[in-house]
Amino acid sequence: MKKIMMVFLTVFTMLGLLAGCSSNNSSESGSAEGKGVTLTLLHRWPNEPFKGYFDAAIKEFQKEHPEVNFNVISVLNEDYKQKINVQLSSDTPPDIFFTWAGEYGNKFIRDGQALDLTDYAPEGGKWEDTVIPSTLKPFMSEEKVYGAPILMDVRMMAYNKEIFEKLNIAPPQTWNEFMEVLKTIKKEDITPLGLGNKAPWNGGLYMTSLNQRIVAPEVLAADNNRLTGTFTDPGYVKALEKLQELVPYMNEHPNALSREEERSLFVNGQIAIMPLHTIEFPYVKDAQFEWGTFNFPTIEGGKGKESVVTGAPEGFMVSSKTKHPELAAEFLRFLTSQKMAEKWVETTDVISTTKGAVTKENASPIMVDVIKEVEESDDMVIWLDTALEGKIFQPYLSGIQELLNGEKTPEQVMKDVQKAATEVRESAK
Amino acid sequence: MKTNPAVPYLFVAPGFLLVCLFIYYPVIDNLQSSFFSWNSFSPNREFLGFDNYTRIFGDSVFQIALKNNLIHALVSLLVQVFGGLIIAAILEDNIFRKVAPVLRTIYFMPVLISITVIGLLFSFIYNPQIGLLNKLLEVVGLEQFATGWLGESSTAFSAVIAMGQWIGTGYIAMLYIVAIQKIPAELYEAAKMDGANKIQTFFYVTVPQVKEMTFVAVIFTLSQSMLTFADVYVLTQGGPGNSSQVLSTYLYDKAFVDNEMGYASTIANVIFAISIIFYTIQSKILKTGKGD
C-alpha cells in the first residue's frame, strides 16, 4: 500500500511541475477577457512630471472608454532599451510601446513588430493632418505610418546667464565665437563646459550636433541607412577633432561623471555651459540663477546644415501582436489630439509634435522658435545612438570615450566605425 | 522487505526532471542557438555553422573581457580566499576572542547589502570631485594620484575589482571561521608542545585542516569571478571604451543592446566551457572528497 502511495505521490509531483510550467498562458488571457480589455503601455518615464501626465491622460481616456484597463510599465532610458527587446520577444508584448526614431524604431518596423497604423488615422483623414509631417516621417516606412510621435526632444546649449553677464559675453553663434567664450570663462577659473560621459550616449550626442554641422546632409542620410552606411567621409574625422578642441574646456574626467552629476554641476553654478535636452528642463528648475539657451554654434566651412536644431521626435508604436488594435490606435489618436497635446506642453514644458499645440501662451519663446523651425524643415537629425544600429554605435560611443581619455585618435575611432559599418552592410544584404 | 527496483528512480525523478528542465535543456538549447544568427523578435534564423566561434577568437573586445575576467579571478583568489583565510585565522586566535564577534559581523556586513546599493556607494567614493577616495588622498598628501577612477581606462577595472573584494572577503572569511572552529583543539595543543609558533601552526595545522573548505571557497570565488556582472554594470557599464568589459557584460550588450542573440549564445558557451575547465583542474589539484 505504502509503495503505491509513494508512486502516486511521485507522479503527482511531476505532473504538478509540468502543469506549473504551462498554465500561466491560459489564466492570463482569461482574466483579460473577463472585465473589459487591458492595454499594456510601456513608456520610459517613471519620473515626474511625465509620469503624472500619462497617469492623467489614461484617466481622461478611461472617461470615454470605461471598459479599458491600463497596465502601465515605465522604465528609465537605459533600462527601457533592454526591456523593450525582451518584452517584444515574449508572447504577450506590450500593446503600445515607446520608441525613439531612426534605426531604433526602424528595426521594429522591419521585423514586423509594429502595426501598420495608416488606416487607423484620425477621423476621415491622415495622421499628417494632426501631426507635424517632418516629425511623422521618421515613423514611416514605404509610405505607411507605423507610429505616432508625441514629443520633440531638442538638444540646446544651456548657459548660466549670471556668469555670462558678469563676464560681459553674449551667447555665441559661430564656432570661433564659441571658442572665444570658452576661453574667457576659463580665465575666470570657472569650468566652461560640462560633459558627464559615463553613460556614453552623452558624448555621442555632442557628435550628433558636430556631424550635423560638418558633414553634408545627404552623406549623413546615406550613412544612417544600414544598407549604404560607410562613414568614410572626412567630415567625421573633422567633427571628432572639433570635439577634441573642446576637451580642455570641459570638466576634468568627463568619463567618470554621470549625466546626472553633470546636471548637478550646472545647477550648482560650477559649470557655465552644458548641452541640455528640452526634456530635461524640469530637472534644472532648482537652479538659483537665471539660465538661457542657445543653438549649437555653426561651424565655419562645415558642409552640414548651418543652423538646424539637433533634435528628434519620440513617440509610440502599437504592437503587431495586439489583440485590440482599434483601441490601441484610439489611444494614440487621443494622445496626439489637440487637447491632450496642449496639456502635454503645459504639464511638461516639452515640445509637442501635434500641429498647433505649442503656442505663445503655453510655451517659452525658445520652444516657439524651435517648433517653427521643425514645421518648416523636411527632415530631422536624429540622435547618433538611435539613428544607427547597436553594432555601429557601440564602437562609435566607446571610441568617443577613449578619444576623451586621449587614448585614441579621431582616425582610429572612425576606422572602428567603418569596420562595423561594413559588417552591418554585408549582413543587411 | 523487498523493494521494487523502480522505487529509487521514482524518488530521483522529480529532482532529475527539474534539473533537466531548468539546467540541461537551456544549456543544450543555447548550444544550438549559437550556430545561428538571430535576434529576439525576428522570426528569421540564419544558419551560420561555426562562424560565431571563429568570429569570437578574432574579437578584440572579447579578448579584453576574457583577460579582465582572468585578472578578476586571480585577484579574487589571492584577496578573498587567501586573505579570507588569514582573517579567519586571526579572528579565531585566542588574542582576539573578545572582539571577534564584532569584527565578524562587520566583515560579513557587505554580503548583506544589495549590490546596487554598494555600487552607488562606491561610485560616490570614486567620484572625481566629491569622492571620498580623492579627498583621502588629498589629506594624506598624495593628491597627485587622485584621478577620475571610473573614467580612466587604466583604473576603471581595478576600481571595480576592489569593490568586489570588499564585498566578497567577509563571506569567505565566514566560511573559514566555521571550518576552523571544527578543527580539534588537540591538534593545536600538540603543535604547541612541539614548539611550533603561530605562523607554523597556521601553515601546518590550519591550512591542511580546512582543505575541504578551500575547495568550496576556490570554486565559489572562481565562479563568481567568471560570472561577475552587477559590479561592472553598476559602476562602469564596461566603459570607458571597453576597458572594463567582462564576459557577462559583453554578453549582455550583445544580446540586449546589439540584438545579436546567436553571438551572445556563443559567448555564453565559451564562459560555460571555461568554467568546466576550471572546475576539472581544481578537483584534480585539490583531490577532495576522497578523505585522508
Side-chain angles (χ1 to χ4, degrees):
Chain A
M1 200 51 212
K2 255 188 189 167
K3 242 193 285 171
I4 298 171
M5 282 283 284
M6 228 132 36
V7 172
F8 268 114
L9 267 178
T10 335
V11 172
F12 273 126
T13 332
M14 287 198 282
L15 283 178
L17 272 177
L18 291 175
C21 295
S22 61
S23 66
N24 51 4
N25 276 344
S26 56
S27 68
E28 235 171 68
S29 55
S31 67
E33 238 85 299
K35 251 188 197 169
V37 281
T38 304
L39 287 180
T40 311
L41 170 68
L42 175 66
H43 67 69
R44 69 170 184 98
W45 295 285
N47 44 3
E48 296 295 349
F50 308 103
K51 183 180 176 294
Y53 168 80
F54 281 104
D55 291 348
I58 284 169
K59 275 214 185 99
E60 193 76 23
F61 184 73
Q62 278 169 332
K63 272 184 204 158
E64 291 165 37
H65 303 271
E67 77 282 10
V68 183
N69 296 315
F70 275 88
N71 174 18
V72 183
I73 309 167
S74 54
V75 273
L76 211 59
N77 290 349
E78 296 296 311
D79 297 327
Y80 155 82
K81 285 181 192 166
Q82 280 112 36
K83 190 149 194 148
I84 187 76
N85 289 340
V86 180
Q87 293 255 328
L88 284 183
S89 62
S90 73
D91 290 335
T92 49
D95 300 285
I96 305 163
F97 58 90
F98 167 86
T99 181
W100 281 284
E103 167 59 25
Y104 200 89
N106 288 347
K107 66 173 185 276
F108 300 137
I109 301 176
R110 212 168 40 235
D111 287 325
Q113 289 292 328
L115 187 74
D116 178 3
L117 295 173
T118 322
D119 298 334
Y120 293 100
E123 271 167 60
K126 291 192 283 183
W127 286 96
E128 285 94 322
D129 298 340
T130 43
V131 177
I132 300 170
S134 64
T135 63
L136 187 67
K137 210 170 151 193
F139 292 91
M140 291 174 70
S141 170
E142 292 167 358
E143 305 291 304
K144 283 177 186 155
V145 180
Y146 287 94
I150 301 295
L151 66 116
M152 170 89 189
D153 190 15
V154 174
R155 189 170 162 104
M156 307 290 290
M157 302 300 282
Y159 68 101
N160 186 326
K161 274 192 179 169
E162 261 176 33
I163 296 178
F164 270 57
E165 270 162 30
K166 208 175 78 192
L167 301 179
N168 201 17
I169 37 182
Q173 295 192 325
T174 64
W175 186 261
N176 289 343
E177 285 174 29
F178 188 42
M179 296 309 285
E180 279 306 312
V181 164
L182 295 176
K183 262 177 222 155
T184 320
I185 300 172
K186 194 166 183 184
K187 265 186 214 146
E188 298 294 307
D189 267 345
I190 302 168
T191 310
L193 199 58
L195 176 59
N197 199 33
K198 199 165 163 188
W201 59 263
N202 200 359
L205 297 198
Y206 256 106
M207 292 318 298
T208 310
S209 299
L210 283 167
N211 285 345
Q212 172 191 340
R213 292 282 186 268
I214 294 177
V215 182
E218 55 279 6
V219 178
L220 265 183
D223 284 336
N224 283 349
N225 186 332
R226 64 204 290 271
L227 295 167
T228 51
T230 56
F231 292 91
T232 44
D233 192 276
Y236 289 109
V237 173
K238 233 181 261 166
L240 284 167
E241 282 164 0
K242 290 282 176 201
L243 183 70
Q244 277 182 321
E245 277 179 44
L246 295 180
V247 173
Y249 302 101
M250 286 175 183
N251 46 275
E252 274 191 314
H253 312 298
N255 290 330
L257 285 184
S258 68
R259 176 74 178 171
E260 290 75 21
E261 285 165 331
E262 176 191 354
R263 261 190 332 240
S264 319
L265 285 177
F266 181 72
V267 171
N268 291 338
Q270 285 166 287
I271 51 177
I273 307 170
M274 80 172 279
L276 195 69
H277 292 236
T278 45
I279 210 159
E280 290 175 305
F281 284 5
Y283 306 140
V284 290
K285 267 189 177 152
D286 294 336
Q288 297 295 317
F289 50 86
E290 216 187 312
W291 55 276
T293 55
F294 59 89
N295 198 356
F296 197 83
T298 57
I299 294 174
E300 294 83 350
K303 286 185 196 138
K305 284 188 189 168
E306 283 248 305
S307 61
V308 71
V309 291
T310 315
E314 300 176 10
F316 288 97
M317 286 181 172
V318 174
S319 163
S320 54
K321 289 182 200 152
T322 178
K323 292 198 186 86
H324 317 287
E326 177 49 42
L327 272 174
E330 170 71 23
F331 185 65
L332 291 190
R333 287 198 293 264
F334 173 75
L335 283 182
T336 50
S337 69
Q338 184 89 18
K339 187 180 85 181
M340 288 319 288
E342 272 171 25
K343 205 166 178 187
W344 165 266
V345 178
E346 274 162 36
T347 348
T348 63
D349 272 335
V350 171
I351 295 169
S352 162
T353 47
T354 298
K355 278 183 185 169
V358 177
T359 59
K360 274 186 189 129
E361 286 76 47
N362 66 5
S364 63
I366 305 164
M367 283 164 71
V368 177
D369 284 354
V370 169
I371 204 73
K372 218 163 104 198
E373 216 165 313
V374 171
E375 271 173 351
E376 281 160 11
S377 72
D378 53 348
D379 213 352
M380 298 274 130
V381 179
I382 296 163
W383 318 123
L384 188 125
D385 63 334
T386 59
L388 302 172
E389 72 172 67
K391 258 189 187 171
I392 302 176
F393 78 69
Q394 291 267 36
Y396 208 151
L397 296 189
S398 38
I400 294 167
Q401 278 192 328
E402 287 168 302
L403 181 93
L404 292 170
N405 274 350
E407 287 155 5
K408 268 193 179 161
T409 63
E411 287 82 10
Q412 284 169 326
V413 175
M414 285 325 292
K415 217 175 191 177
D416 290 346
V417 175
Q418 285 157 6
K419 201 178 126 212
T422 313
E423 277 169 26
V424 167
R425 231 175 30 243
E426 271 162 16
S427 72
K429 268 174 199 164
Chain B
M1 189 186 133
K2 263 197 209 164
T3 45
N4 188 326
V7 169
Y9 295 101
L10 283 173
F11 273 114
V12 175
F16 181 69
L17 209 71
L18 268 178
V19 172
C20 281
L21 197 63
F22 292 112
I23 296 175
Y24 294 123
Y25 170 68
V27 167
I28 292 165
D29 192 48
N30 194 49
L31 196 64
Q32 189 210 348
S33 303
S34 67
F35 295 116
F36 292 88
S37 160
W38 58 291
N39 76 39
S40 51
F41 45 77
S42 162
N44 310 321
R45 282 167 81 110
E46 191 195 334
F47 185 73
L48 288 180
F50 283 95
D51 280 9
N52 277 335
Y53 288 90
T54 44
R55 177 179 158 198
I56 208 168
F57 291 104
D59 185 340
S60 61
V61 182
F62 176 79
Q63 284 161 7
I64 295 172
L66 185 60
K67 194 188 83 199
N68 279 345
N69 267 113
L70 294 176
I71 294 173
H72 195 293
L74 198 72
V75 175
S76 298
L77 275 186
L78 275 176
V79 177
Q80 291 185 30
V81 178
F82 193 64
L85 178 57
I86 291 174
I87 289 176
I90 292 173
L91 287 184
E92 280 305 300
D93 197 281
N94 281 330
I95 306 171
F96 286 91
R97 264 296 121 96
K98 276 204 179 127
V99 285
V102 181
L103 290 177
R104 234 161 29 204
T105 319
I106 293 175
Y107 291 142
F108 193 67
M109 207 96 86
V111 183
L112 303 174
I113 309 174
S114 150
I115 192 137
T116 333
V117 176
I118 295 178
L120 277 177
L121 210 85
F122 270 77
S123 49
F124 284 129
I125 293 179
Y126 291 138
N127 183 301
Q129 270 147 348
I130 51 162
L132 262 182
L133 188 54
N134 280 355
K135 289 269 182 267
L136 182 80
L137 287 173
E138 239 170 74
V139 169
V140 297
L142 292 171
E143 61 264 31
Q144 72 267 31
F145 292 113
T147 175
W149 296 97
L150 298 173
E152 301 293 326
S153 303
S154 48
T155 55
F157 193 60
S158 317
V160 173
I161 292 184
M163 184 182 96
Q165 308 314 314
W166 183 81
I167 301 168
T169 311
Y171 186 73
I172 303 293
M174 197 57 128
L175 289 181
Y176 274 126
I177 286 171
V178 176
I180 291 174
Q181 282 172 349
K182 278 194 186 153
I183 301 174
E186 296 87 49
L187 292 177
Y188 287 106
E189 276 166 33
K192 210 174 176 183
M193 275 180 165
D194 289 341
N197 63 21
K198 288 232 159 105
I199 292 169
Q200 284 167 326
T201 321
F202 174 74
F203 279 110
Y204 291 105
V205 180
T206 314
V207 173
Q209 285 295 318
V210 295
K211 200 172 125 189
E212 296 285 324
M213 196 52 88
T214 305
F215 182 64
V216 173
V218 169
I219 290 202
F220 180 77
T221 36
L222 279 185
S223 64
Q224 289 286 306
S225 292
M226 286 317 287
L227 299 176
T228 184
F229 175 79
D231 329 20
V232 179
Y233 203 72
V234 177
L235 283 184
T236 64
Q237 295 173 345
N242 282 307
S243 61
S244 64
Q245 204 77 264
V246 290
L247 290 175
S248 47
T249 50
Y250 188 49
L251 182 157
Y252 188 82
D253 274 358
K254 279 290 159 202
F256 299 112
V257 182
D258 292 7
N259 242 313
E260 291 191 78
M261 288 291 178
Y263 193 54
S265 303
T266 314
I267 299 171
N269 286 330
V270 173
I271 299 177
F272 181 61
I274 294 171
S275 304
I276 287 188
I277 294 171
F278 270 175
Y279 176 81
T280 324
I281 296 174
Q282 270 160 241
S283 55
K284 281 265 154 59
I285 292 178
L286 288 158
K287 286 198 191 89
T288 52
K290 286 175 190 152
D292 39 2

